[in-house]
Amino acid sequence: MHVTIYFPPTATKPPRFKCGVSKPCPEGHYAFKMASGAASVVGPKICLEDSILMSGVKNNVGRGINIALVNGKTGQVIKTEYFDMWAGDVNTIIQFLKTIEDGTIVMMATFDDGATKLNDEARKLISDLGSTSISSLGFRDNWIFVGGKGIKTKSPFEQHIKNNAEANKYEGWPEVLEMEGCIPHKQE
């Protein structure tokens, strides 16, 4: 008598890519994933190359605009900072933006309210980093953006959702925005 024993294939785990992105980035690119804050409760999260740069768990996020600066050639974090755009001073973010050097990757995510104190000068400095939505960012809108100092084009990495009482997911706030992608390394 001949018996065939069938062994079902073992379950294979799907591959995991840096920062949990859905597909691997090509050579010469940094993988990133980020999310805006959720209402005034959960802070934003910024991940680059499998390293969490900013999050509530790291306790380095806050109300307003959260910014991570990354060296475009090496992928090393230069600085992380957040600027309160509800009760803070817009001049602090303006001075910060003016110090960013060419070739720096700039990652930004809002939490709670990122727009109330923004003025034309601050919006222009952010627009110069490649943002197209900053000019229309309003009270409690959610916005996430990756740009760069010295960028010659508009960034493809930007999402914006308006605060709209009829459409908001949370009472008083729109839903969380999430974005992932591959940022090219800065060339010489």
Side-chain angles (χ1 to χ4, degrees):
M1 178 168 147
H2 181 72
V3 177
T4 305
I5 300 173
Y6 174 73
F7 292 100
T10 55
T12 56
K13 287 186 5 187
R16 189 197 174 282
F17 304 113
K18 291 178 180 174
C19 290
V21 299
S22 55
K23 59 183 195 271
C25 288
E27 190 72 32
H29 288 72
Y30 302 116
F32 81 91
K33 190 170 191 175
M34 60 195 304
S36 65
S40 61
V41 183
V42 180
K45 187 174 181 179
I46 299 176
C47 178
L48 182 79
E49 286 293 289
D50 243 8
S51 177
I52 304 297
L53 308 185
M54 300 185 82
S55 73
V57 173
K58 288 191 73 144
N59 201 28
N60 66 346
V61 295
R63 177 173 69 184
I65 298 178
N66 293 263
I67 305 176
L69 301 181
V70 177
N71 182 309
K73 290 180 186 151
T74 67
Q76 295 300 304
V77 177
I78 298 167
K79 190 170 194 175
T80 61
E81 192 73 57
Y82 61 89
F83 299 90
D84 186 344
M85 292 292 100
W86 168 252
D89 179 0
V90 72
N91 290 308
T92 58
I93 192 170
I94 288 170
Q95 293 314 311
F96 181 85
L97 293 168
K98 285 180 175 179
T99 66
I100 299 172
E101 295 182 15
D102 269 12
T104 301
I105 297 167
V106 183
M107 307 175 82
M108 299 185 175
T110 56
F111 180 30
D112 188 356
D113 175 39
T116 296
K117 291 284 178 91
L118 281 181
N119 62 16
D120 289 344
E121 183 180 8
R123 289 177 192 270
K124 166 92 171 77
L125 289 165
I126 295 169
S127 174
D128 289 347
L129 299 170
S131 172
T132 52
S133 298
I134 193 65
S135 60
S136 61
L137 191 68
F139 173 67
R140 287 190 179 168
D141 289 359
N142 270 344
W143 173 68
I144 49 180
F145 165 71
V146 178
K149 182 68 178 232
I151 192 170
K152 302 288 186 260
T153 58
K154 291 304 172 189
S155 171
F157 302 121
E158 184 169 36
Q159 292 184 24
H160 176 210
I161 186 168
K162 295 298 272 177
N163 171 19
N164 175 329
E166 268 86 73
N168 282 346
K169 180 166 184 174
Y170 308 106
E171 194 174 321
W173 286 271
E175 66 185 299
V176 170
L177 289 174
E178 293 183 304
M179 179 171 62
E180 65 176 53
C182 303
I183 306 165
H185 294 183
K186 170 82 171 125
Q187 302 302 315
E188 290 302 323

